Amino acid sequence: MKRAVDMTTAPGYAHWETTGSFKIVAVGTSFYRSDIAAIAQNPDNTRALVVCIAYLVPDNQNTHDSHAVRVVVDGRTVGHLSRDFAKCYRSYISDIPAHIQCISVTAAITNGLKTSDKTYEYTVEVDIPDSLKLHVLNRLLKYSPASEPVQRL
């Protein structure tokens, strides 16, 4: 079940510092291919390369995993953190101040090549530093000064 997320109503925000390493790969992206394609906007015969802000949203409604964490870009779910990493993430966020309800990270959407005879899946990678150093924000983070939520490369 796909759920849109209105991040403008979140009471507190934090952003993980960007390292450029993108070590964490979201799982379940094939279930959200149309949403990822709408974000990536890569033409046929072209791989996607999109750098964007993703929000890590605890998914308390998930019947398959009580620790599930959705990866949300532009209000669209594009995947989940792996079961093991989601459990670690949930443990970590239980120790941060209660007013921080939303954590953003830099993310990269790649691949998604579509040719006349084959369609490849997208890859969504999130940049979570080993230090887990958070920057507390008083407003939602916008990726670029022009309020463009994604950067297509």
Side-chain angles (χ1 to χ4, degrees), residues 24-32 69 71 78-83 124:
I24 307 299
V25 178
V27 299
T29 55
S30 62
F31 294 104
Y32 306 102
V69 176
V71 178
V78 296
H80 288 80
L81 296 181
S82 70
R83 222 177 255 271
V124 178

Side-chain angles (χ1 to χ4, degrees), residues 71-153:
V71 178
V72 177
V73 175
D74 284 350
R76 300 169 187 253
T77 299
V78 296
H80 288 80
L81 296 181
S82 70
R83 222 177 255 271
D84 290 339
F85 195 81
K87 190 173 182 178
C88 173
Y89 173 79
R90 289 279 196 127
S91 175
Y92 173 78
I93 64 170
S94 69
D95 292 333
I96 64 173
H99 77 281
I100 304 281
Q101 298 294 313
C102 180
I103 296 177
S104 62
V105 296
T106 303
I109 297 173
T110 58
N111 300 321
L113 179 68
K114 185 177 180 182
T115 65
S116 59
D117 37 338
K118 189 162 182 176
T119 299
Y120 297 87
E121 292 303 325
Y122 286 98
T123 302
V124 178
E125 299 164 292
V126 295
D127 186 4
I128 298 176
D130 295 334
S131 70
L132 299 181
K133 181 179 179 182
L134 282 172
H135 298 282
V136 177
L137 307 172
N138 60 7
R139 62 178 175 75
L140 276 176
L141 185 64
K142 296 292 183 183
Y143 191 76
S144 70
S147 297
E148 176 69 21
V150 296
Q151 179 181 359
R152 289 171 189 83
L153 304 172

